Amino acid sequence: MMIDPQPTAAASYSRTLIARGCPPHLAAIVGEILAQRGGETKPTPQEQVLIDRAYAYLKS
């Protein structure tokens, strides 16, 4: 496994989600969404569904 010393925001979000139990494919998608939004704009309803699904794994 290669460790990126300067990961992108999307990679950081994805790794955090995966470490907390989210499936890698969903974590990659949600990581990109979160990185693109940067907290400045609200996600679309479709994006919000994916985000909610990814964070649901954190509660189990």
Side-chain angles (χ1 to χ4, degrees), residues 27-45:
I29 294 168
V30 171
E32 287 292 329
I33 292 169
L34 294 173
Q36 288 174 358
R37 295 292 176 197
E40 295 178 10
T41 59
K42 292 184 109 177
T44 66

Side-chain angles (χ1 to χ4, degrees), residues 2 7 17 20 23 42 52 60:
M2 302 250 332
L17 289 168
R20 294 183 178 187
K42 292 184 109 177
D52 291 345
S60 45

Side-chain angles (χ1 to χ4, degrees), residues 17 20-23 25-26 52-60:
L17 289 168
R20 294 183 178 187
C22 183
H25 64 281
L26 180 58
D52 291 345
R53 192 173 295 162
Y55 278 95
Y57 285 97
L58 306 182
K59 297 175 185 171
S60 45

